[in-house]
Amino acid sequence: MSTLVIDNLSIGLPEGADRRFAVKDMDMAIEMGQITCVVGESGSGKSMTANALMGLLPPGVTVEAGKAVFNGEDVLSLPEARKQALRGAEIAMIFQEPMTALNPLMRIGEQISEVFAAHDLYTPSQRREKALHLIREVGLPDPEKIIRAYPFQLSGGQRQRAMIAMALALEPKLLIADEPTTALDVTTQAQILKLILDLRDKHGMAVMFITHDFGVVAEIADHVIVMREGKVVERGRAAEVLGNPQHDYTKRLLDAIPTGKLPKARPPRDVPALEIRGLRKIYRTGGGLFKPVREVRAVDDVSLTVARGEVLGLVGESGSGKSTLGRTAVRLVTPDGGQVMVGGTDLAALSDEELRKERHKVQMVFQDPYASLNPRQRIMGALTAGPITNGVPRAKAQERARELLEIVGLGAEAATRYPHEFSGGQRQRIGIARALAMDPELIIADEAVSALDVSIQAQVLDLLRDLRERFDLSILFITHDLRVAAQLCDRIAVMQKGKLVEIGTVHDIFLSPQQAYTRQLLAAVPGADWAKENVDA
Amino acid sequence: MDILIAILSRVAKAAVTLLAIAVLNFFLLHAAPGDPAVVLAGEAGAADEQMIAQLRERFGLDQPFYLQLGKYVWGIVQFDLGYSFRQGMPVSQLIAERLPATLLLTMTAFFISLGLGIWLGVAASARVGKASDSLLTTLALLFYATPLYWAALMAVLVFSVWLGWLPAFGFETVGADYTGMARILDIGRHLVLPAMTLGLFFMAVYMRMTRASMLEVSQLDFVKTAKAKGLGGAAIRRRHILRNAILPVVTLAGLQAGQLVGGAVLTETVFAWPGIGRLMFESLAARDYNTILGVFIVSAAMVILFNVITDIVYRIVDPRIGARA
Amino acid sequence: MWKRFSSNIGAMVGVVLLLAVIVIAVIAPMLYPGGPWQMVQRPFLPPFAQDAYPFGTDTLGRNVAAQLAYGAQVSLLVGLVSTLVALLIGVPLGALAGFYGGMVDEGAMRFTEFFQTIPNFALAIVLVAIFQPNLTSIILAIAIVSWPPVARLVRAEVMSVRKREFVDAATLAGLSKPRILVTQVLPNTVSPIIVMASLMVATAILLESSLSFLGLGDPNAMSWGYMIGAARTVIRSAWWLSFFPGVAIIITVLALNLIGEGLNDALNPHLSRKGRA
């Protein structure tokens, strides 16, 4: 039986938007007790659909046509008072950003009890009892303490659990989850997914789960709906869509997803491009008059080598120290100890002035395509500033810049434009060209594809693969995503809490991991089993 | 315990700032053109040779510079702000007599403007895009552009001269010798116009700030969460938006307190309000630098007091602060 | 950007008003070659009584209209120059504090906080009183009490821009720190500085008029605040002597505030970021 039936839904965008409709002529049904995943890339209209159901559309965005029948009434055309009564009681929602979705000035217990208060249910002491019960149910430790805690005292995963507790408070018939695990680490993500599955089994509610990640789909979906630019392109049972996709777009998305398919192993090389020996970086916080000093060993005695022409993946969860390691290796951060040997020079030991002259040897490709280019500088300026500072004649630097823009697939005319004229993926290409312009001995790519949609991610990975062949690049590829690492890297190093846990070839790490933490990470990768089946097939 | 330490360290910091202002005061006194002794004597007609020699000795002007500085600052620590030759009494005594009137005026104006400002700001933010919002924001913009002293003069013209509703100047009716409740009411009647005109500008500031802050907070994710819970618009505004939006307004109010004290000079001048602002104006005409600087340091102390209070309020309201560092 | 600004009605009203004030200030010597101090008629001539003196005459029989026109010169001059001086102090200090951090930041911010704590109007009074009232001391006094917010704003902006990845990229390109600050970071802080500057001109005009009202104006320059101050004692008999200069101040300050708000909406559009989601 269907809990919710959406019929011919169209959502209009305000004037001046890049298209007329966020969602056009959309139909879907969410079945009782089942999890329906709505999958799509950014701009597909998947979140707009969810917000429309909750009456949470941003100003200017309106439902222009269609019905969404829930409990026999069309939730889109209900009067506001009735919608308000439905929200939280019959239909509940959880959001992507656990860090900002909770009121920072209100205790967790208060925020949960508020759901009851909003619907005029129970006495204050009953509400407290129920809140405690919910906190226990979503697996938060020490409920008596959590109920009095403020959001900033909780981790991201704990906050998301608190959000889920709120959503479940009144046993809604429909739970809408809008990318609820996207902002979380893989291991936390796995726990939250499991929690949602368990709760669904226990309470039997319907779940509309919005995600961009087919791995997550493989983990939890009963039904799948694939959306693109406001339209449904494919739908069906999860196993069918994943195993036998019909629509081209779905196929492309699935192809783009880094799977367990491992590239052929390359023969190891032994001329080092980068040698890190005993690297240490400690962050100290606090240490005021009355506060004790807190030490965080961000990088704790790490040694590793990237051979010339090799791509080494550096994998870990947030807080593992992988980014600090990368930033220390380029000396954006000065280490507290150890050596960073590049081409015979120890970057860690140079003075600021000497370092400026050696900077060109190691370059970096950054994570955020929107922050990594100066909005007030033309692309040409971004690509030539470095070489010119290093003594390359202006004309030659400009010629090289145009050539590189061709190579990364943008065309030489891109040089005269400003960053805001490019999309995220194009900006990452510019970032890569900028790194190459310095003729570095090593490139450090710090989450270079993490901010991109899957299909764009695949294109940028293809480019990197192509470039490494062409220029025999040495790359330290930092990522939180094991699947991505498997696509590009020769070897993988796993970090946890500042320490190097394990390092080995991709085959070793994936097929015979030695350390418990590596195995845990691999197991947490969403869709891991499904990916393996794919390899076997 | 933590909060006590925080308050103590905040007060210690305030004391250091006050000392620094004392040092600045000393340099200003010496920066005035001409012989400091002559400056000190002012143009009170008392600048004969013997007097100046006395002054030199009394203020140690024949001593090395750093000793003079030390002596001056030490004097201020003991509430010795020098002597007003013009008025024939110690500056600290002059100020002490006038301070209550200024405190009454600025505190009243502060709470009226903050209360009304926040209330109107919330009201405007709830009606964004509607005519009432436009009217409120336009009025705020107008008040924001109006010179305090001009508003005061116009208020006198309208409410005292033309309508005859309220007294035009003074702290109370001279010669009426009211006592008890009658006196309080009389002072209250005299207070209305000065407090309203002083508060008008700041009300506009707080209203604009509250409105902007409310609108900004209403964009945040947790407001969406609150809506998803099924809370109504009014409850969301009160429980979620206002609580978060008011923090920056409180901080701003603390910072603006300095301007309020400065504005009191203008208001008190127009209304002949017997406070330290009026004292400063009178001393300007008389070039009584000791008194001017005395008023200056006392008003700085008032501002610091306002700041300490708002800091402590902030610390109590925002749970994150204690744990953040 | 210009399109967004010009479609803002308030901002365009502000531009028109400000242009009018500027034109009046510029052509004042042509309109009233005798200057603002010349006695032209009997004292206390009410407004609109004679076409030649639409705003009447003052206590000494001087033309109020001429005084208003010359007053515009002083207001605009003081507002502009003192804002420029305040920017010259605040921008470098804030930029260095935000960019270098650490002890530089600590020192610069303590210094700024100290100045921010001092009640600014009281400090301006003290400074002008001690250094004798003239245009230079007034401009400097206003600049000295106005720069702390600039320093804080620039520091905050620089700190946020400094954390963006393109600054890291410039470091890796081997650019020196001062060059990164000037060519990469500062250009990205210009918009909020422009907005703040336009609002500061308005505040400076209010400050100047307040100083003049208290008798701390330049004795050789006719200013709106001075006019109101001089007419304060005769408010019962000659309301227009206080009224019109006040209206002139309100119009000018309002115009600048409207422009500042329009610039703010045009340069820092909150909505444009959402277009991406």
Side-chain angles (χ1 to χ4, degrees):
Chain A
M1 202 187 102
S2 298
T3 300
L4 174 82
V5 177
I6 297 179
D7 183 20
N8 203 28
L9 175 69
S10 289
I11 300 174
L13 289 170
E15 249 177 87
D18 55 355
R19 60 178 204 254
R20 176 76 187 80
F21 290 98
V23 174
K24 182 86 179 121
D25 305 330
M26 191 230 213
D27 301 313
M28 76 164 79
I30 312 265
E31 301 300 321
M32 205 167 95
Q34 308 241 314
I35 296 181
T36 304
C37 276
V38 182
V39 200
E41 297 184 288
S42 48
S44 61
K46 56 191 193 302
S47 287
M48 285 293 186
T49 311
N51 284 322
L53 293 173
M54 289 298 280
L56 293 175
L57 287 174
V61 182
T62 48
V63 174
E64 301 208 349
K67 285 194 296 190
V69 179
F70 174 84
N71 263 2
E73 44 188 7
D74 173 17
V75 293
L76 298 176
S77 60
L78 288 176
E80 181 54 33
R82 179 78 192 112
K83 272 190 198 168
Q84 194 183 315
L86 276 183
R87 283 199 288 263
E90 303 274 333
I91 308 178
M93 185 164 179
I94 55 178
F95 303 95
Q96 176 171 351
E97 281 296 338
M99 303 317 258
T100 53
L102 292 166
N103 185 340
L105 300 183
M106 226 187 215
R107 296 176 197 274
I108 298 294
E110 238 183 300
Q111 301 201 38
I112 298 176
S113 309
E114 205 182 21
V115 183
F116 304 115
H119 297 274
D120 284 325
L121 294 167
Y122 312 122
T123 64
S125 63
Q126 283 174 323
R127 286 175 194 162
R128 198 186 118 85
E129 271 316 303
K130 299 225 169 236
L132 277 174
H133 176 76
L134 284 162
I135 289 172
R136 234 171 266 130
E137 184 171 5
V138 296
L140 281 167
D142 204 349
E144 288 288 346
K145 212 171 149 191
I146 291 281
I147 205 167
R148 276 179 287 112
Y150 286 100
F152 76 93
Q153 293 164 319
L154 270 57
S155 71
Q158 290 176 324
R159 291 185 205 201
Q160 203 57 293
R161 283 175 192 267
M163 281 294 296
I164 293 172
M166 277 176 225
L168 289 179
L170 295 174
E171 306 238 349
K173 292 199 180 66
L174 173 63
L175 174 68
I176 301 174
D178 188 0
E179 303 253 15
T181 58
T182 307
L184 305 174
D185 274 328
V186 268
T187 47
T188 318
Q189 164 167 289
Q191 291 161 11
I192 296 289
L193 290 178
K194 182 163 183 318
L195 176 66
I196 293 176
L197 277 171
D198 289 349
L199 292 170
R200 187 272 313 258
D201 292 344
K202 196 168 150 203
H203 299 274
M205 74 254 183
V207 180
M208 175 177 175
F209 194 107
I210 292 162
T211 181
H212 66 280
D213 188 338
F214 265 108
V216 171
V217 175
E219 288 287 321
I220 64 163
D222 298 310
H223 293 272
V224 181
I225 289 171
V226 184
M227 286 186 73
R228 183 195 189 191
E229 290 176 2
K231 295 202 173 81
V232 175
V233 296
E234 181 156 4
R235 69 181 87 218
R237 298 204 62 85
E240 287 161 23
V241 175
L242 289 171
N244 184 20
Q246 296 303 310
H247 195 279
D248 269 353
Y249 180 68
T250 318
K251 282 184 196 156
R252 259 191 289 143
L253 277 187
L254 282 168
D255 281 345
I257 293 181
T259 58
K261 268 179 255 169
L262 302 178
K264 251 187 240 131
R266 293 159 165 267
R269 315 259 293 258
D270 45 10
V271 186
L274 167 76
E275 270 187 281
I276 290 175
R277 296 191 200 129
L279 197 67
R280 282 198 316 278
K281 178 69 198 175
I282 300 168
Y283 284 110
R284 291 181 178 83
T285 51
L289 206 46
F290 307 101
K291 292 170 215 123
V293 183
R294 271 192 53 203
E295 277 194 0
V296 178
R297 294 170 178 269
V299 178
D300 193 3
D301 196 13
V302 172
S303 302
L304 56 81
T305 307
V306 182
R308 183 154 296 164
E310 181 191 42
V311 181
L312 176 69
L314 186 58
V315 179
E317 297 187 280
S318 57
S320 64
K322 59 186 192 304
S323 281
T324 307
L325 181 79
R327 294 174 67 79
T328 313
V330 293
R331 259 290 287 282
L332 282 171
V333 170
T334 303
D336 293 317
Q339 294 174 309
V340 179
M341 306 295 296
V342 177
T345 347
D346 179 7
L347 288 184
L350 295 179
S351 73
D352 282 355
E353 211 32 53
E354 292 164 332
L355 180 66
R356 272 209 311 127
K357 299 197 183 72
E358 303 291 331
R359 284 277 193 208
H360 66 96
K361 288 185 175 168
V362 187
Q363 289 296 304
M364 202 155 181
V365 178
F366 299 91
Q367 171 172 9
D368 184 350
Y370 292 90
S372 61
L373 292 168
N374 184 347
R376 303 211 176 244
Q377 190 176 35
R378 284 179 208 276
I379 305 307
M380 181 57 94
L383 261 56
T384 56
I388 292 173
T389 310
N390 267 310
V392 177
R394 177 173 295 270
K396 208 171 154 211
Q398 292 187 341
E399 189 191 326
R400 174 79 177 139
R402 276 189 282 267
E403 192 186 330
L404 282 169
L405 285 170
E406 292 284 359
I407 289 172
V408 298
L410 287 175
E413 64 275 15
T416 57
R417 290 155 66 187
Y418 282 97
H420 71 259
E421 299 173 55
F422 297 95
S423 68
Q426 289 173 322
R427 288 177 198 221
Q428 282 315 66
R429 289 170 189 267
I430 296 169
I432 293 168
R434 175 174 61 191
L436 290 174
M438 301 292 282
D439 281 326
E441 307 202 357
L442 176 81
I443 290 181
I444 296 180
D446 187 2
E447 300 277 11
V449 297
S450 306
L452 305 174
D453 273 331
V454 224
S455 54
I456 312 289
Q457 200 173 51
Q459 292 166 13
V460 174
L461 283 174
D462 281 343
L463 174 68
L464 280 173
R465 211 175 287 123
D466 178 44
L467 289 173
R468 75 163 292 193
E469 295 296 341
R470 194 157 161 183
F471 299 113
D472 199 27
L473 293 177
S474 321
I475 302 178
L476 179 62
F477 190 86
I478 301 169
T479 179
H480 69 280
D481 192 335
L482 270 165
R483 294 170 299 178
V484 170
Q487 293 289 295
L488 185 70
C489 302
D490 303 317
R491 289 190 302 149
I492 289 181
V494 179
M495 275 185 85
Q496 183 198 20
K497 292 181 185 156
K499 288 201 189 293
L500 189 65
V501 175
E502 184 167 3
I503 185 166
T505 65
V506 172
H507 286 251
D508 289 344
I509 294 286
F510 271 78
L511 303 176
S512 53
Q514 298 300 304
Q515 299 296 322
Y517 179 69
T518 313
R519 282 195 287 272
Q520 196 187 328
L521 266 188
L522 283 166
V525 168
D529 297 337
W530 161 68
K532 232 176 236 147
E533 282 159 29
N534 258 17
V535 179
D536 298 341
Chain B
M1 191 56 215
D2 271 2
I3 198 152
L4 200 67
I5 289 171
I7 290 172
L8 279 179
S9 72
R10 185 65 188 80
V11 170
K13 205 176 137 196
V16 172
T17 312
L18 212 51
L19 274 185
I21 292 176
V23 174
L24 174 74
N25 238 357
F26 175 79
F27 283 108
L28 284 173
L29 206 54
H30 284 260
D35 186 331
V38 180
V39 171
L40 280 174
E43 295 181 357
D48 60 84
E49 280 303 313
Q50 198 197 345
M51 172 117 195
I52 287 174
Q54 267 181 8
L55 277 172
R56 261 185 225 293
E57 191 172 333
R58 183 173 164 171
F59 292 97
L61 293 175
D62 41 1
Q63 288 171 349
F65 198 67
Y66 64 92
L67 272 182
Q68 292 182 36
L69 175 63
K71 207 168 165 185
Y72 180 85
V73 173
W74 181 237
I76 286 183
V77 170
Q78 298 167 299
F79 298 105
D80 175 8
L81 298 172
Y83 192 81
S84 167
F85 293 94
R86 180 77 189 191
Q87 311 260 6
M89 62 166 92
V91 172
S92 46
Q93 193 185 333
L94 263 178
I95 291 177
E97 282 174 10
R98 307 276 199 119
L99 197 55
T102 299
L103 284 176
L104 177 66
L105 173 63
T106 48
M107 289 287 181
T108 312
F110 182 73
F111 287 112
I112 288 179
S113 59
L114 193 59
L116 277 179
I118 291 177
W119 182 60
L120 290 173
V122 171
S125 73
R127 294 169 179 74
V128 156
K130 297 198 182 129
S132 49
D133 172 44
S134 311
L135 182 72
L136 280 174
T137 46
T138 310
L139 274 182
L141 209 57
L142 209 60
F143 293 156
Y144 194 60
T146 307
L148 261 179
Y149 55 89
W150 186 81
L153 280 172
M154 292 303 121
V156 168
L157 195 62
V158 174
F159 296 104
S160 304
V161 180
W162 293 347
L163 298 172
W165 289 354
L166 290 162
F169 59 85
F171 182 75
E172 53 193 324
T173 313
V174 181
D177 289 327
Y178 291 121
T179 49
M181 202 56 206
R183 183 165 184 230
I184 292 175
L185 281 176
D186 186 46
I187 293 175
R189 268 166 49 80
H190 281 81
L191 182 61
V192 174
L193 286 184
M196 293 300 276
T197 47
L198 179 56
L200 200 63
F201 175 84
F202 296 97
M203 185 196 80
V205 174
Y206 301 143
M207 188 207 129
R208 287 158 53 90
M209 180 82 186
T210 306
R211 180 179 177 275
S213 184
M214 290 286 288
L215 291 180
E216 202 175 311
V217 173
S218 66
Q219 305 281 323
L220 298 180
D221 286 354
F222 63 80
V223 176
K224 219 169 139 181
T225 307
K227 209 171 169 197
K229 285 179 188 174
L231 283 171
I236 294 176
R237 260 199 303 286
R238 198 179 60 246
R239 292 178 57 92
H240 291 274
I241 305 179
L242 182 60
R243 248 160 111 167
N244 282 278
I246 213 156
L247 287 174
V249 180
V250 170
T251 317
L252 179 90
L255 284 174
Q256 295 275 352
Q259 288 194 34
L260 198 74
V261 173
V265 179
L266 296 163
T267 321
E268 291 183 5
T269 300
V270 172
F271 290 101
W273 187 263
I276 58 171
R278 176 81 187 176
L279 178 65
M280 192 175 211
F281 175 69
E282 288 161 0
S283 311
L284 280 176
R287 292 178 190 274
D288 183 352
Y289 291 108
N290 247 356
T291 308
I292 296 176
L293 288 171
V295 172
F296 174 58
I297 198 162
V298 169
S299 49
M302 280 173 66
V303 174
I304 291 173
L305 185 70
F306 269 101
N307 285 345
V308 172
I309 293 172
T310 43
D311 264 20
I312 292 170
V313 169
Y314 203 114
R315 191 171 280 280
I316 293 167
V317 179
D318 191 340
R320 290 163 296 186
I321 288 192
R324 191 178 285 155
Chain C
M1 186 233 120
W2 169 247
K3 215 172 126 191
R4 255 200 306 263
F5 183 75
S6 59
S7 64
N8 182 332
I9 299 169
M12 289 325 283
V13 170
V15 169
V16 170
L17 289 177
L18 185 65
L19 278 178
V21 176
I22 291 174
V23 167
I24 289 170
V26 170
I27 63 169
M30 284 168 256
L31 286 176
Y32 307 103
W37 309 97
Q38 199 181 32
M39 288 170 247
V40 291
Q41 246 289 348
R42 72 170 173 88
F44 295 110
L45 181 74
F48 316 118
Q50 287 188 21
D51 287 346
Y53 311 108
F55 298 117
T57 61
D58 74 354
T59 50
L60 296 172
R62 298 177 296 209
N63 185 356
V64 173
Q67 293 181 328
L68 288 176
Y70 281 91
Q73 291 183 342
V74 174
S75 286
L76 292 176
L77 179 78
V78 172
L80 236 105
V81 179
S82 61
T83 299
L84 281 179
V85 178
L87 289 178
L88 284 178
I89 307 171
V91 172
L93 198 71
L96 292 177
F99 191 66
Y100 287 98
M103 294 303 283
V104 180
D105 185 29
E106 191 71 11
M109 278 305 108
R110 282 288 126 80
F111 187 65
T112 310
E113 264 172 32
F114 173 66
F115 268 90
Q116 205 157 28
T117 307
I118 303 175
N120 57 7
F121 185 54
L123 178 60
I125 291 176
V126 168
L127 288 173
V128 175
I130 283 183
F131 294 102
Q132 308 307 321
N134 56 55
L135 279 182
T136 318
S137 70
I138 292 170
I139 286 171
L140 284 178
I142 294 177
I144 286 173
V145 303
S146 312
W147 66 265
V150 183
R152 293 184 76 106
L153 172 85
V154 174
R155 170 177 177 267
E157 289 291 321
V158 165
M159 282 174 80
S160 105
V161 174
R162 186 187 67 166
K163 288 199 197 89
R164 288 200 234 157
E165 290 168 341
F166 67 80
V167 176
D168 289 337
T171 306
L172 293 185
L175 271 57
S176 65
K177 282 202 153 209
R179 195 170 150 204
I180 292 174
L181 175 58
V182 174
T183 65
Q184 305 285 322
V185 178
L186 279 181
N188 284 290
T189 64
V190 167
S191 313
I193 296 178
I194 288 178
V195 171
M196 182 173 241
S198 67
L199 299 175
M200 279 170 67
V201 176
T203 313
I205 289 176
L206 278 178
L207 269 175
E208 187 277 333
S209 83
S210 302
L211 287 171
S212 300
F213 173 78
L214 291 178
L216 293 173
D218 186 326
N220 300 314
M222 179 54 73
S223 116
W224 294 333
Y226 164 78
M227 291 168 72
I228 301 175
R232 180 166 71 88
T233 48
V234 294
I235 179 114
R236 283 157 200 275
S237 50
W239 57 270
W240 63 91
L241 294 181
S242 312
F243 180 75
F244 292 115
V247 172
I249 296 171
I250 293 178
I251 288 176
T252 315
V253 173
L254 185 66
L256 283 159
N257 284 338
L258 285 170
I259 293 172
E261 292 213 328
L263 284 174
N264 189 38
D265 293 346
L267 290 171
N268 312 319
H270 292 291
L271 292 173
S272 70
R273 282 180 62 81
K274 289 205 187 110
R276 238 164 66 194

